[in-house]
Amino acid sequence: MSECTVEGDQVVRVHDGNTTPNGGDPAFDLDVATGRVTVKDDVGGATWTVGVVLDPSG
């Protein structure tokens, strides 16, 4: 399950900390204030993380 924070009419944060074994899909974190997105998972003994920095110019 994802937690979502909305300010005004915009989503500013989304967080789902459960990886595939616990939630059925990778964990996901979006923080608009810091401009970062992180997706991570651990399946079959392998763990991976992908970090993305958002372009503030849109």
Side-chain angles (χ1 to χ4, degrees):
M1 177 188 285
S2 297
E3 299 170 15
C4 184
T5 303
V6 177
E7 292 179 3
D9 62 351
Q10 293 189 324
V11 173
V12 294
R13 182 160 167 74
V14 178
H15 176 75
D16 174 358
N18 293 322
T19 56
T20 296
N22 298 314
D25 56 7
F28 178 84
D29 190 49
L30 163 68
D31 188 337
V32 174
T34 63
R36 297 186 181 275
V37 176
T38 303
V39 180
K40 63 181 178 179
D41 208 358
D42 52 82
V43 178
T47 301
W48 56 267
T49 301
V50 175
V52 177
V53 177
L54 302 174
D55 182 351
S57 67

